[in-house]
Amino acid sequence: MHGDGDGWVFDADGSRYWGRFGAAGLLLCAPVDGGVSVLLQHRAIWSHQGGTWGLPGGARDSHESVEQAAVREANEEAGIDAADVAVVESVVTHQAAGWSYTTVIANAPSAVATVGNGESAELRWVPVTEVAALPLHPGLAQSWPGLLARLS
């Protein structure tokens, strides 16, 4: 389903960002084997920054909060049921002129089952101690240390 948020925003320096009203991603955490794991999406090669690992997420529609957008996108891209998501906090992890990306941190009761769509080459529950070793989407790579500190 495409909403009114789909589209590129261009910064004065030529950088482009997806989401006319900003974008949001879901950092979904769950207890796994005595530790904490997070749901990551291996982005389809055809997508922007394809081949990297990131969060399920995308453009925010004009009528949505960042939390609503992140949960909707996680449902669309990973089959995550909103009933399995307990939002903890929202953190703006990137800002540009007229655009922002917000990471919505949430908990799930367990590593819930996922169902990817065409935007995902793979979905995986990754222990937080192993996230930084993956080829991360540049935005997630930059924000991961601060996000990890919030999970501890």
Side-chain angles (χ1 to χ4, degrees):
M1 176 179 173
H2 296 286
D4 67 348
D6 286 350
W8 293 103
V9 172
F10 295 90
D11 201 347
D13 69 1
S15 298
R16 65 182 183 153
Y17 304 97
W18 184 251
R20 294 178 50 229
F21 306 101
L26 188 69
L27 179 56
L28 189 58
C29 308
V32 176
D33 297 330
V36 175
S37 289
V38 295
L39 179 63
L40 295 183
Q41 173 191 49
H42 193 196
R43 299 169 61 82
I45 199 70
W46 61 263
S47 68
H48 184 59
Q49 301 291 344
T52 62
W53 289 86
L55 305 177
R60 182 170 68 92
D61 291 336
S62 62
H63 64 279
E64 292 179 307
S65 68
V66 291
E67 295 83 5
Q68 290 169 328
V71 172
R72 174 185 52 77
E73 287 283 344
N75 177 264
E76 291 175 6
E77 296 178 3
I80 299 298
D81 188 330
D84 291 326
V85 176
V87 171
V88 175
E89 68 176 314
S90 299
V91 182
V92 175
T93 49
H94 187 84
Q95 280 191 295
W99 186 89
S100 65
Y101 184 92
T102 303
T103 300
V104 176
I105 301 171
N107 292 325
S110 63
V112 295
T114 61
V115 178
N117 70 1
E119 296 179 46
S120 304
E122 180 183 355
L123 295 161
R124 183 188 306 170
W125 286 95
V126 179
V128 295
T129 56
E130 298 175 17
V131 170
L134 293 171
L136 298 177
H137 180 282
L140 180 57
Q142 181 181 21
S143 62
W144 180 247
L147 293 169
L148 179 58
R150 291 174 178 275
L151 304 181
S152 303

